Amino acid sequence: MPTPHPPRPPYPPPGGVPGESDDDLAGRLRGRPDGEAAQSAALLMARHWQPVHEYAVICLAARSEVASMVTAAAFHQVLDRLALGEPGTALRPRLLVRARDIVREWSAEERISGVLPDLQKPAGGRGMRAAKSMTPENRKLAERSFLALPGLARCLLWHTEVEAEPLAVPAGLLGMDTVSAAAALEQARDKFREGCVHAHRELAPTKDCRFYNRLLDVPIRRGGALLPDVQQHLDECRYCRFAAEQLSHFEGGLGILLAESVLGWGARRYLDSRRGRGQQGPRAQGGARHGRGRRRLLSRIPSPGRRPPEGLRASRVLLTGVGLASAGLIASVLAASLWSDDGGADPAASTSATGGTGSAAGGVSASPPGTAQLPVAPSRSRLRNVGADLCLDIRGEVKKGAGTALAACSDDDTQKWTYDEDDGLLRSAADPDLCLDSRADAGVVILGTCADDRSGRADDVRYDITAQGELLTRWDEQLAVTSASGEPDSDIVVKVRDGSDQQRWVSDPVSPSAGTLSVPDSGAPSVRAVDLNGRARTR
């Protein structure tokens, strides 16, 4: 709670004087002369303008005057609410969310987006408009818990965990001394976790999920092993798997969990843009106390973004072999899928649970009769869009900056590509020095140089492939490669991932006998996905 006479923090928050909280300034917007109210508004803007403006740039995918317009509109709307009596605590996340929503709302209004073309970018306003929800499915519990916290707790958590600021900064924004703020921060973390556990129980889709609520929470909290039946349940239940992953962040740092649950869109980019991040240790950034404990725990939690532990993989193969559970069959598909189509003759490949597959780096195995095949580097293949039944092609001359589009599938070199699972590059067979670049032209996919890690743009030309055949950009994994309209000659762009067929791709082998990985054909489709480090993964 604010102290009657809070001592000065080590340095004042930007704007105002030490001991003058955001709520104090908000109170002066109510029933005061215009001049005094304007001064208070100016001080609040001095404290929060820059981060909100930076996030507006992320939401728009453009640095332009439109970002300033969005930021000003966000402040206008939030300050109006403060003038009507809303509390002035935890203003930063409230302003950020308002800026995000303004971009989304303006992009849906033709009379506004028509005169502000920056709102129409696939990686910005247009993509946000197409998204079903700004909060990822695997962050619903954290979102619900955070919004239920008091403003004081939200302010402390946001500024220490997301903004990576010293505790003195949120203490100053709250008009508190740092000793009281430190105690309140520990309580806020506990309340936030309790809220996630409570939300998991309240929103549980089945009785089993409610039953495993405490059996899931307690071992994660203590850093111990999950019971075998809990592990099996996680293997089969996506809802509880998401819950376990969210709870695991309390053992290693809450920054990404909070950013993704509150902002959703562009959360990781905003988090990475915070100046205090990367300059301090996890403790100084507001991270929780057991980073190594969280890493050990995550190794035991199967998730769409991680291969299951060896014990679970073995048990899954056994269950599938004896046909005991459909969940085991589903899991076997997820654990190995890549670029599978709904047809019965999909090219596929998998690392074998029992060994016996070749590797892209160490040669390939022969393809015995009756095997399923997936071309991998160095073989060439077309990329066929499932929704449009058209192939990815290059417009005009093959050179840096050339556009890409959907076209009728052919044997032209401009439609041949190689994918290297080690580095995530999609190279053009017509010029192996050129790769698909999803960011250089504001979300319109063009040909660009196959950048290395020293260029600063490595992730702009690298992709992960999901079990459903989606090509996700590594610079923002909420964005998937697709076409602008699904019609012939339509531009290839990136849009918010929605799971539609228009965002799924399958490989059409150009030379089925060369450069393939093969596995014995089985009753379930078997495919392979690649994570950010080049390891097999599913989503």
Side-chain angles (χ1 to χ4, degrees):
M1 297 294 292
T3 58
H5 302 286
R8 289 173 177 264
Y11 57 89
V17 297
E20 197 170 39
S21 70
D22 278 357
D23 199 40
D24 291 336
L25 294 174
R28 293 174 191 163
L29 300 175
R30 306 163 194 151
R32 298 295 181 95
D34 289 345
E36 187 174 346
Q39 292 176 12
S40 297
L43 293 175
L44 289 172
M45 293 174 73
R47 292 179 175 186
H48 301 288
W49 177 275
Q50 190 61 34
V52 179
H53 183 270
E54 291 170 357
Y55 183 54
V57 170
I58 292 172
C59 290
L60 289 164
R63 291 188 177 275
S64 67
E65 66 275 11
V66 180
S68 296
M69 296 169 63
V70 169
T71 307
F75 273 91
H76 176 71
Q77 294 181 18
V78 171
L79 294 183
D80 275 355
R81 302 300 302 175
L82 297 181
L84 293 174
E86 287 188 359
T89 51
L91 283 183
R92 183 70 57 80
R94 197 187 318 180
L95 287 162
L96 294 170
V97 169
R98 191 83 286 273
R100 179 201 69 189
D101 291 345
I102 286 172
V103 172
R104 193 182 191 192
E105 292 162 8
W106 285 5
S107 67
E109 293 288 338
E110 291 185 4
R111 63 191 183 93
I112 299 179
S113 60
V115 297
L116 299 176
D118 282 344
L119 293 166
Q120 302 177 10
K121 297 188 175 181
R126 183 156 38 127
M128 295 173 70
R129 187 175 71 242
K132 297 178 181 178
S133 172
M134 290 291 97
T135 304
E137 184 181 0
N138 64 340
R139 293 293 178 259
K140 293 293 187 182
L141 303 185
E143 177 196 34
R144 183 184 178 103
S145 177
F146 182 79
L147 294 178
L149 291 173
L152 181 146
R154 282 183 276 124
C155 180
L156 289 169
L157 285 171
W158 187 266
H159 284 273
T160 56
E161 301 282 0
V162 177
E163 305 289 344
E165 293 172 333
L167 184 60
V169 173
L173 297 177
L174 292 166
M176 299 177 69
D177 64 276
T178 53
V179 175
S180 299
L185 177 59
E186 290 299 316
Q187 293 177 5
R189 289 194 183 109
D190 291 339
K191 290 294 184 183
F192 183 34
R193 184 191 183 105
E194 290 173 11
C196 289
V197 175
H198 185 70
H200 172 258
R201 185 170 59 251
E202 279 195 334
L203 302 178
T206 68
K207 292 181 179 179
D208 284 345
C209 297
R210 287 190 291 273
F211 173 78
Y212 286 117
N213 179 260
R214 300 306 298 177
L215 295 176
L216 186 65
D217 172 49
V218 173
I220 293 176
R221 184 190 298 267
R222 295 177 179 174
L226 299 175
L227 295 174
D229 57 336
V230 178
Q231 291 180 330
Q232 180 63 35
H233 179 73
L234 291 184
D235 199 25
E236 301 170 359
C237 176
R238 184 172 65 173
Y239 173 80
C240 289
R241 190 163 58 241
F242 286 163
E245 192 271 336
Q246 290 170 83
L247 290 174
S248 71
H249 283 276
F250 288 86
E251 308 306 320
L254 296 174
I256 187 60
L257 177 67
L258 283 168
E260 290 182 346
S261 62
V262 174
L263 302 180
W265 185 273
R268 190 174 294 273
R269 280 174 284 160
Y270 180 79
L271 191 73
D272 292 342
S273 72
R274 300 303 84 207
R275 291 163 181 79
R277 196 158 296 280
Q279 301 174 4
Q280 307 170 5
R283 181 74 174 175
Q285 289 182 16
R289 292 157 291 183
H290 308 293
R292 284 178 293 181
R294 177 175 180 264
R295 288 191 290 271
R296 289 195 301 270
L297 173 70
L298 283 176
S299 70
R300 298 192 297 272
I301 298 176
S303 70
R306 180 175 293 103
R307 294 181 74 190
E310 287 293 335
L312 286 180
R313 287 203 299 271
S315 64
R316 182 179 304 158
V317 172
L318 176 61
L319 286 175
T320 304
V322 298
L324 292 180
S326 61
L329 176 59
I330 294 172
S332 68
V333 175
L334 290 177
S337 38
L338 165 78
W339 289 8
S340 65
D341 197 358
D342 288 334
D346 305 339
S350 171
T351 53
S352 172
T354 59
T357 63
S359 68
V364 295
S365 60
S367 301
T371 62
Q373 299 175 337
L374 171 70
V376 296
S379 70
R380 302 174 178 183
S381 64
R382 291 185 296 264
L383 295 182
R384 178 166 54 85
N385 184 269
V386 174
D389 199 28
L390 299 168
C391 288
L392 176 61
D393 202 350
I394 300 171
R395 291 185 183 274
E397 182 182 354
V398 179
K399 62 179 181 179
K400 182 179 179 181
T404 57
L406 287 181
C409 297
S410 70
D411 288 330
D412 295 343
D413 282 345
T414 56
Q415 290 191 8
K416 297 173 185 176
W417 307 87
T418 62
Y419 178 74
D420 190 331
E421 63 183 18
D422 290 328
D423 58 22
L425 296 174
L426 270 167
R427 295 180 183 270
S428 168
D431 186 342
D433 291 330
L434 298 178
C435 292
L436 285 186
D437 190 322
S438 60
R439 198 174 188 182
D441 193 14
V444 178
V445 179
I446 62 175
L447 284 185
T449 304
C450 298
D452 60 21
D453 291 332
R454 294 169 294 180
S455 69
R457 297 190 60 245
D459 284 350
D460 299 353
V461 292
R462 294 181 176 176
Y463 305 86
D464 289 326
I465 304 171
T466 73
Q468 292 74 35
E470 301 157 303
L471 288 171
L472 304 185
T473 65
R474 289 193 179 179
W475 59 274
D476 189 336
E477 289 201 335
Q478 295 184 50
L479 300 178
V481 176
T482 184
S483 67
S485 66
E487 300 296 326
D489 202 41
S490 63
D491 289 331
I492 302 299
V493 298
V494 291
K495 295 182 180 180
V496 177
R497 181 184 181 190
D498 60 16
S500 65
D501 282 350
Q502 285 68 34
Q503 295 184 1
R504 294 178 57 211
W505 301 84
V506 293
S507 63
D508 285 343
V510 176
S511 177
S513 61
T516 62
L517 289 178
S518 62
V519 292
D521 199 6
S522 65
S526 179
V527 287
R528 184 176 185 174
V530 179
D531 71 5
L532 296 174
N533 298 313
R535 295 185 296 268
R537 75 181 292 181
T538 58
R539 290 181 186 275

